């Protein structure tokens, strides 16, 4: 990947003054300071752990997650105020409070705060608990509760950053501790806010405290992100065609090259503002302006990193320049440091140095650091090795490690190694720094006497995450600072065009469609349970040309996901009418009886049903304009309540020993055991790594084209009528991931028992060859059962003992499930009438894979223990599912969908 271009005498020339005026004019004085951003992963359970310490909840069993509505009020409406901080005092903590105005929408996108340090502070978890890429300091704590990732109009939230302490909280990769190192109060130069303006939210105000004291506050900002970004988008659209043509030209004159260099800085600034790397709002009060830095200020900067001579000396982790207290991203996962013993050039433009000022004196003793990207790597971290570092400004070399005897000796002997990273199993690793492995090198460092021990070579790099994010919208994206030896951007716009294409919907909004467009069809998300006879509310969104809509037709259809034709043709409820502007309707009661003739006679199919809404837009003559299907929820028999069938995520009693996570958790069982792995905490979103399981808390698709809703979006619920989970074992077909659901339920008085029903599906991934199988077990006991890590029941008094067990004896189905097949039904009947009579002849087993089930023993059934527990009127039910996956697609996963107990009245 070496750039075959000779150096150019114009590479260090200043921009023409006319271009400089245009540059600053288009920036409108506000597009300065580029935040460095790129892709990171973190276990979202840290969010729940950190927020739980903020406001303890009473009467909540240990290990269970509870969502608490966010109830803080807005910021005080006070004018700008600046505190007085000792300039030489070290920054130990920063607390940022953000207030959202009532005149706009909720803030539900990532936001970065720029303080003139070269890197931003990310207000995580705004925009989602799944942590987006970034070279940024992350907070260890936030006032957002539970799964909340937005701030409603008129409310505020706080985010706390710490340069000290060993408890990272939300900041699992310890970004704040590393990036805030050596920062003093006097280094805080500016206040700016960056985002993409995905919605019309209003920044009402902010308050920033440092070390518990006021730095600055303003409760009267009232700035709209979308309005502030509109001019930058328009200017960028005008510049891009000519800029793209110049970057691909091969015969530019010296004057054209000089213009292109200036245009490149301008396009970087404008695109940075649009994609969220540069602030769209900056505080402008004179009292905020700091004293000019002591020394000779630099206007532009070129950094040359030459890769070391060791194998795989490049890295996809962020590598950054350390210049005193300030840190600037150089390479990232989007623009990685190459595996090459050759110079690689990076450019800091004038607009970036205007907000983050540097002096020659500071740059005379620089450093280079690395932080973990959050992407999974091998057991050996993704390190970097450098042979030399050179820094230039205005054609003058400020620093060259080859000219410093200690640095010339020390730097090539070091490997830059992140202080924290994730291995291929998704486990957080925190290696101990050694003489040869450090997260930050600084000029003047020396090695101890004796040669450092040789490091093990890195295995071939893992490529689990595509370099360009999906469209649209992308995360807040990293600036690309790579340049060619002549100072020109690389062909194709220096990597900017893929980033801008990812924002096409924001830059170039599509015209509304000629026909109406219906989307988001769903049963109201707050619906606790859906039963036969219920009158549910159906909601939807409508856009495009709605002028011809005169009324609506809304149907509720029954669905059997394990059937080749899953949707039954007769609706269980229909409503026609309403006004054109309607986007919700209360349906007539569901009538399951009307589809009885479509079910297999004498079967239990009525217990496997889902309900799916369909919304149809009707024209003036009753003609169909368009229609859309909605997401599915399980359909229970009439009168069923969550109290009668609800379960919790297990395991309620994890195995003894340190390292086994409390509920909700899962266990990975490798193909070869022992040792048996510990139970791990379950994430709230896809961790993008193998050997993981996570809650499906939102709508989720399946391989057979069915879209499922989730009861897990109900705030505060820990006992639910149905659960959905995704698991991603290693795709060798032999590794298992185990998950449990359990709870005490009343014995149904008007039924023969309960059915434990679930469906197995593929979620995510694109390989048509993926295969999956499952082991399943249902147990009855007097209370929670404790098993060891090998899966064996612990004796009394360590946990209750099962007195009835129904389980598969081999993986089902016998021929593994493929993506060309419907979903797999898993049905385990718990027939209390048979147990009371101690009669298991002709016991009604799973109609699909019944031959694979058996009654575990000895004893298969303990009638005396059953009778004692039945006398209490309740049964403790434990359902266990162990899934395996055979695939070459590391994004594929197995979904265990709609795990539930259903009252059973079949013969």
């Amino acid at each position: 990947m070496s750039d075959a271009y000779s150096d150019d005498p114009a590479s260090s020339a200043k921009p023409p003054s006319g271009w400089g005026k245009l540059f600053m004019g288009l920036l409108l004085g506000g597009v300065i300071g580029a935040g460095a951003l790129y892709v990171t992963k973190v276990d979202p359970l840290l969010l729940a752990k950190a927020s739980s310490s903020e406001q303890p909840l009473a009467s909540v069993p240990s290990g269970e997650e509870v969502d608490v509505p966010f109830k803080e009020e807005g910021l005080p409406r006070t004018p700008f105020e600046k505190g007085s901080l000792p300039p030489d005092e070290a920054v130990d903590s920063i607390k940022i409070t953000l207030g959202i105005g009532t005149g706009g929408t909720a803030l539900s996108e990532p936001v970065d705060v720029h303080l003139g340090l070269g890197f931003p502070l990310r207000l995580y978890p705004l925009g989602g608990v799944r942590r987006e890429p970034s070279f940024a300091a992350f907070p260890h704590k936030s006032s957002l509760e539970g799964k909340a990732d937005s701030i409603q109009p008129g409310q505020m939230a706080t985010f706390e950053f710490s340069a000290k302490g060993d408890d990272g909280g939300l900041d699992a990769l310890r970004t704040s501790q590393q990036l805030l190192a050596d920062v003093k109060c006097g280094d805080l130069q500016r206040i700016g806010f960056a985002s993409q303006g995905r919605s019309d939210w209003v920044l009402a105000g902010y308050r920033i405290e440092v070390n518990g004291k006021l730095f600055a506050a303003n409760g009267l900002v009232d700035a709209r992100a979308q309005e502030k970004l509109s001019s930058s988008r328009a200017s960028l659209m005008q510049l891009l065609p000519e800029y793209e043509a110049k970057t691909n030209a091969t015969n530019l004159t010296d004057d054209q090259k000089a213009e292109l260099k200036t245009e490149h800085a301008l396009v970087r600034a404008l695109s940075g503002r649009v994609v969220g790397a540069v602030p769209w709002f900056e505080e402008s009060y004179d009292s905020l302006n700091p004293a000019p830095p002591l020394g000779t200020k630099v206007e532009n900067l070129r950094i040359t990193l030459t890769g070391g001579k060791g194998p795989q000396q490049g890295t996809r982790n962020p590598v950054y320049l350390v210049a005193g207290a300030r840190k600037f991203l150089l390479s990232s996962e989007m623009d990685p440091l190459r595996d090459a013993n050759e110079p690689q050039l990076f450019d800091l433009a004038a607009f970036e140095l205007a907000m983050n000022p540097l002096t020659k004196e500071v740059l005379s003793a620089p450093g280079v650091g690395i932080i973990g990207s959050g992407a999974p790597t091998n057991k050996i971290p993704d390190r970097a090795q450098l042979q030399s570092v050179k820094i230039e400004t205005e054609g003058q070399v400020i620093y060259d490690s080859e000219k410093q005897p200690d640095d010339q000796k020390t730097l090539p002997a070091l490997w830059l190694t992140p202080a924290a990273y994730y291995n291929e199993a998704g486990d957080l690793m925190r290696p101990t720094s050694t003489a040869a492995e450090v997260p930050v090198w600084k000029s003047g460092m020396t090695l101890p006497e004796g040669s450092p021990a040789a490091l093990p070579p890195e295995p071939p790099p893992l490529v689990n995450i595509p370099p360009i994010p999906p469209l649209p919208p992308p995360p807040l994206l990293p600036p690309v600072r790579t340049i060619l030896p002549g100072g020109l951007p690389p062909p194709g716009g220096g990597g900017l065009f893929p980033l801008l294409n990812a924002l096409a919907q924001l830059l170039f909004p599509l015209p509304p469609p000629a026909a109406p467009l219906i989307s988001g069809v769903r049963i109201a998300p707050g619906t606790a349970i859906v039963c036969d006879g219920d009158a549910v509310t159906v909601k939807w969104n409508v856009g495009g040309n709605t002028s011809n809509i005169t009324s609506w037709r809304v149907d509720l259809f029954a669905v059997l996901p394990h059937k080749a034709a899953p949707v039954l043709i007769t609706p269980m409820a229909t409503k026609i009418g309403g006004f054109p502007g309607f986007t919700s309707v209360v349906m007539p009661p569901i009538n399951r009886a009307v589809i009885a003739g479509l079910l297999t006679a004498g079967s239990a199919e009525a217990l496997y049903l889902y309900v799916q809404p369909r919304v149809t837009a009707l024209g003036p003559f009753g003609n169909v304009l368009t229609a859309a299907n909605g997401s599915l929820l399980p359909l229970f028999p009439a009168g069923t309540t969550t109290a009668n069938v609800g379960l919790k995520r297990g395991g309620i009693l994890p195995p003894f020993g340190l390292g086994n996570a409390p509920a909700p958790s899962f266990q990975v069982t490798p193909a070869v055991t022992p040792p048996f792995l510990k139970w791990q905490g379950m994430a709230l979103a896809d961790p993008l790594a193998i050997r993981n399981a996570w809650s499906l808390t939102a709508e989720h698709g399946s391989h057979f084209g069915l879209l499922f809703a989730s009861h897990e979006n109900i705030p505060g619920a820990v006992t639910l009528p149905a659960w959905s989970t995704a698991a991603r074992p290693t795709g060798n077909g032999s590794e298992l991931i185990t998950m449990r659901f359990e709870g005490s339920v009343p014995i149904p008085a008007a039924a023969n028992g309960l059915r434990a029903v679930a469906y197995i599906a593929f979620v995510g991934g694109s390989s048509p060859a993926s295969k999956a199988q499952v082991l399943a077990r249902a147990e009855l006991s007097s209370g929670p059962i404790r098993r060891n890590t090998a899966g064996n029941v612990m004796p009394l008094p360590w946990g209750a003992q099962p007195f009835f067990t129904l389980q598969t004896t081999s993986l089902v189905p016998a021929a593994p499930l493929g993506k060309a097949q419907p979903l797999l039904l898993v049905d385990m009947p718990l027939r209390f009438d048979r147990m009371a009579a101690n009669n298991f002849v002709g016991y009604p087993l799973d109609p699909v894979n019944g031959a694979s089930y058996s009654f575990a023993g000895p004893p298969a059934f303990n009638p005396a223990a059953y009778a004692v527990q039945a006398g209490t009127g309740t049964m403790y039910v434990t359902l266990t599912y162990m899934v395996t996956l055979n695939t070459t697609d590391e994004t594929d996963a197995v979904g265990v969908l709609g795990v539930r107990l259903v009252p059973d009245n079949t013969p």
Side-chain angles (χ1 to χ4, degrees), residues 231-482:
S231 61
S232 294
R233 292 172 182 167
S235 298
L236 185 60
M237 291 167 62
Q238 293 175 358
L239 286 171
L240 282 180
E242 181 180 353
Y243 172 73
E244 182 176 13
K246 286 184 179 179
T247 59
N248 292 318
T250 58
N251 57 348
L252 296 177
T253 66
D254 289 345
D255 288 342
Q256 289 173 324
K257 290 178 180 179
E259 286 187 353
L260 177 56
K261 292 172 189 176
T262 304
E263 285 183 64
H264 179 58
L266 178 57
V267 170
R268 274 178 54 188
L270 291 171
S271 62
R273 199 178 193 198
V274 168
V275 302
V278 175
W280 51 262
F281 169 81
E282 291 183 72
E283 193 59 85
S284 58
Y285 281 87
D286 292 339
S287 60
L288 184 63
N289 292 337
L294 299 177
T296 306
K297 189 175 178 181
V298 298
E299 301 292 338
N300 53 65
L301 207 61
R302 177 177 298 179
I303 302 97
T304 303
L305 302 182
T306 301
K309 297 181 179 179
Q312 295 177 226
Q313 62 273 66
T315 180
R316 300 185 72 85
N317 283 322
V319 174
Y320 61 93
L321 172 71
V322 179
R326 292 175 173 79
K327 289 88 178 178
F328 296 85
L329 179 71
L330 298 178
S331 66
S332 72
E333 187 172 354
M334 297 288 293
D335 183 33
L337 191 69
R338 300 190 297 273
D339 286 331
N341 178 227
E342 62 185 20
Q344 299 176 54
L345 278 64
F346 306 91
D347 175 71
L348 290 178
F351 80 91
E352 297 174 294
L353 295 171
M355 183 174 179
N356 309 279
L358 291 177
T359 64
K360 291 182 179 180
E361 290 75 12
V362 167
L363 291 165
S364 64
V368 178
I370 188 172
I371 59 173
S373 74
T377 63
N378 298 284
K379 293 181 180 179
I380 299 172
D382 185 9
R383 305 168 303 208
Q385 187 189 52
L386 299 176
Q387 183 68 25
S388 65
V389 174
K390 184 166 68 173
I391 300 176
E392 304 168 79
T393 182
E394 306 293 347
Q396 176 189 0
V397 176
I398 303 175
Y399 170 84
D400 188 346
S401 64
E402 295 289 330
K403 307 296 184 183
Q404 306 292 325
D406 286 343
D407 296 349
Q408 183 185 32
K409 177 182 177 181
T410 301
L411 180 59
L414 297 177
W415 284 89
L416 295 176
T417 304
Y421 66 95
Y422 290 95
N423 64 13
E424 67 267 37
D427 300 320
L428 181 67
M429 310 297 292
R430 297 196 65 197
T432 303
S433 293
T434 66
E437 288 186 285
V438 295
V440 179
W441 163 82
K442 292 185 178 180
S443 176
M445 287 177 60
T446 58
L447 291 172
E449 294 297 327
S451 300
L455 300 179
E458 294 186 48
L462 293 174
V463 183
N464 290 329
I465 300 177
I468 301 299
L471 308 174
L476 299 185
L477 296 170
V480 176
R481 289 178 169 146
T482 296

Side-chain angles (χ1 to χ4, degrees), residues 196 198 233 271-276 470-475 477 497-509:
Q196 293 175 346
R198 299 178 190 172
R233 292 172 182 167
S271 62
R273 199 178 193 198
V274 168
V275 302
L471 308 174
L477 296 170
F497 292 114
L499 310 188
L500 297 178
N501 288 337
L503 272 172
Q505 292 299 323
L506 292 179
L507 291 171
F508 311 108

Side-chain angles (χ1 to χ4, degrees), residues 519-713:
S519 63
V521 179
R522 65 222 182 267
I523 293 173
T527 305
I529 190 171
V530 181
C531 303
D532 182 22
D534 286 356
V536 300
T537 298
V538 175
K539 297 188 173 186
W540 64 93
N541 304 318
V542 62
N545 184 358
T546 61
S547 59
N548 290 326
I549 299 176
T550 57
S551 61
W552 302 92
R553 171 175 175 145
V554 184
D555 297 285
L556 295 175
F557 287 92
V559 181
L560 288 171
H562 64 290
K563 296 285 190 177
V567 182
L568 305 187
I569 60 174
T570 301
M572 296 182 292
T574 298
K575 187 164 188 176
I576 301 176
F579 295 103
F582 275 24
T583 55
S584 68
V585 66
V586 178
M587 296 295 293
I590 297 172
N591 183 6
R592 195 181 71 180
V594 300
I595 52 101
L598 303 177
L599 305 177
T600 302
S603 73
E605 286 182 349
L607 309 182
Y608 312 145
L609 289 172
Y610 280 79
V611 58
Q612 179 184 48
R614 178 184 297 167
V615 174
T616 303
L618 302 177
F621 304 104
N623 53 307
V624 174
L625 299 178
T626 188
N629 292 322
S631 51
L632 285 67
L633 279 175
L635 178 64
F636 289 84
T640 306
T641 65
T642 301
N644 291 336
V645 296
L647 298 175
K648 301 176 182 179
R649 283 194 184 275
I652 300 302
L653 293 181
F656 287 117
L658 296 176
N660 285 294
S665 55
F666 67 95
Q667 184 187 32
V668 177
T669 303
V672 178
T673 53
F676 292 94
L677 302 184
K678 304 286 189 180
W679 282 72
Q680 306 174 47
M682 189 173 292
L684 296 174
D686 187 352
L688 298 176
I690 59 172
R691 290 190 165 184
N692 268 282
W694 60 96
S695 308
L696 292 171
T697 59
E699 291 182 333
H700 44 278
S702 69
H703 70 278
F704 211 58
L706 296 176
L707 179 68
F708 291 85
S710 174
H711 280 297
E712 295 182 56
N713 58 39

Side-chain angles (χ1 to χ4, degrees), residues 755-844:
R755 292 255 178 172
V757 177
Y759 280 95
I760 307 300
F762 296 95
V763 293
S766 58
S767 172
S770 299
K771 303 290 183 182
Q773 291 177 292
V774 63
L775 294 170
R777 179 174 60 225
E779 298 169 289
L780 299 179
S781 60
S782 59
I785 301 168
R786 189 189 299 275
R787 294 177 179 268
N788 58 24
T789 54
N792 300 316
V793 176
M794 298 291 290
L796 291 171
W798 311 118
Q801 305 297 292
F803 46 72
F804 172 82
T805 302
L806 177 63
Q807 66 183 22
T808 54
T809 56
S810 59
L811 287 165
V812 296
L817 177 70
K819 292 187 175 179
Q821 303 166 262
L823 277 62
L824 173 68
L825 170 68
V826 179
D827 173 20
M828 294 182 287
L830 304 172
R831 292 295 296 268
F832 301 136
D833 58 334
R834 297 296 191 102
M835 295 174 202
N838 199 9
N839 174 22
F840 296 92
V841 177
Y843 191 88

